[in-house]
Amino acid sequence: MPFVIVLLYWTIVVILLWAFTVQVVLRIIRRYVHFPMPAFFNRLIDNPLRRRIQSPRKIIDWMGLSPNTVILEIGAGPGTFTIEAARRIENERRVVALDVQPAMISVLVKKLEKEKMTNVESIIGSALSLPFLDDSFDGSFMITVLGELPDKSEALLEVRRVLRGEGELAIGELLFDPDYPRKKTILRLCKDAGFELISEYGRFLHYLLVFRKPA
């Protein structure tokens, strides 16, 4: 076998082993230590490979957003899904993008300015104590966020509080995320918080679950 092919083979093996080891170590750490993804990782969070696997357009399509709604995104990060959601909302309505990290909100604001989007309101705040009145939103979504939160149950109760009527909550997860929770975990947590499942999408690499707040 030519030397170049052998070298390429072992290079791929080493990279895969390294990636696997990093994933295992990160998952062990994140199981016991919960913190938001640092803002300097924003290019890792929003990259072409991730967009190909977990397409923002497809995710927002699955949510079935109505243009005449006010939507809350929790853990907006660098706006991977914010901008696509805002494109579906009419200008007199809006997407409220919340993130706990000021640096991440700064990244998002710059993207919004570049895209000339005026129907997104960026807010610094915690998912465990949402800075909004009861019954403020028609819907909410969080993508690869719930696993990062130290008290997932409290966050879900907060979302339920700020949703009006039969407001919907969409939760999306990606397998490669170190905080990736299994689907049955999300189903249990949302059921305990008083949500009912209305639809689910995706398969092995990522999934999206859509819940409704019962009337």
Side-chain angles (χ1 to χ4, degrees):
M1 185 179 294
F3 174 75
V4 174
I5 295 178
V6 173
L7 180 62
L8 179 61
Y9 170 80
W10 283 108
T11 300
I12 293 173
V13 169
V14 169
I15 291 173
L16 290 176
L17 286 174
W18 176 82
F20 176 77
T21 302
V22 169
Q23 277 285 320
V24 170
V25 171
L26 282 175
R27 287 174 189 266
I28 292 173
I29 293 173
R30 301 287 281 184
R31 182 178 179 87
Y32 300 100
V33 183
H34 300 278
F35 55 88
M37 189 65 71
F40 56 81
F41 281 159
N42 73 85
R43 291 189 181 276
L44 292 177
I45 297 171
D46 189 3
N47 63 75
L49 178 59
R50 193 245 178 115
R51 284 177 169 269
R52 189 171 184 83
I53 296 172
Q54 194 181 34
S55 163
R57 179 175 295 180
K58 180 179 289 186
I59 293 296
I60 302 302
D61 281 344
W62 284 345
M63 289 184 200
L65 295 183
S66 168
N68 191 34
T69 53
V70 180
I71 301 296
L72 169 65
E73 180 184 10
I74 297 174
T80 307
F81 300 91
T82 314
I83 292 172
E84 188 63 38
R87 290 186 177 126
R88 315 297 178 90
I89 306 297
E90 294 178 352
N91 286 332
E92 63 268 21
R93 299 298 182 177
R94 71 188 191 282
V95 175
V96 177
L98 178 138
D99 201 283
V100 72
Q101 298 184 88
M104 201 66 91
I105 287 293
S106 295
V107 173
L108 173 58
V109 168
K110 290 178 182 177
K111 282 190 176 182
L112 294 172
E113 291 174 349
K114 183 179 179 179
E115 295 287 334
K116 295 181 171 56
M117 307 208 78
T118 59
N119 63 335
V120 178
E121 181 180 356
S122 304
I123 294 179
I124 300 169
S126 170
L128 305 183
S129 182
L130 295 174
F132 310 110
L133 298 175
D134 296 359
D135 307 316
S136 295
F137 300 94
D138 301 300
S140 178
F141 67 95
M142 54 177 85
I143 310 298
T144 63
V145 170
L146 192 60
E148 297 181 356
L149 303 178
D151 193 336
K152 300 169 183 55
S153 297
E154 182 62 28
L156 291 170
L157 289 174
E158 274 292 276
V159 175
R160 182 178 176 181
R161 177 183 66 80
V162 301
L163 288 178
R164 61 172 68 107
E166 294 185 317
E168 295 182 3
L169 165 65
I171 298 177
E173 298 295 342
L174 178 67
L175 180 63
F176 305 119
D177 185 350
D179 300 299
Y180 174 82
R182 290 180 296 177
K183 187 184 294 186
K184 68 177 184 179
T185 300
I186 301 297
L187 291 171
R188 174 180 55 80
L189 287 168
C190 288
K191 181 180 179 181
D192 291 345
F195 287 97
E196 57 183 27
L197 180 70
I198 57 174
S199 55
E200 55 183 296
Y201 306 91
R203 293 186 179 179
F204 177 67
L205 293 179
H206 72 97
Y207 64 82
L208 183 81
L209 303 175
V210 182
F211 300 88
R212 177 185 293 133
K213 172 184 174 180

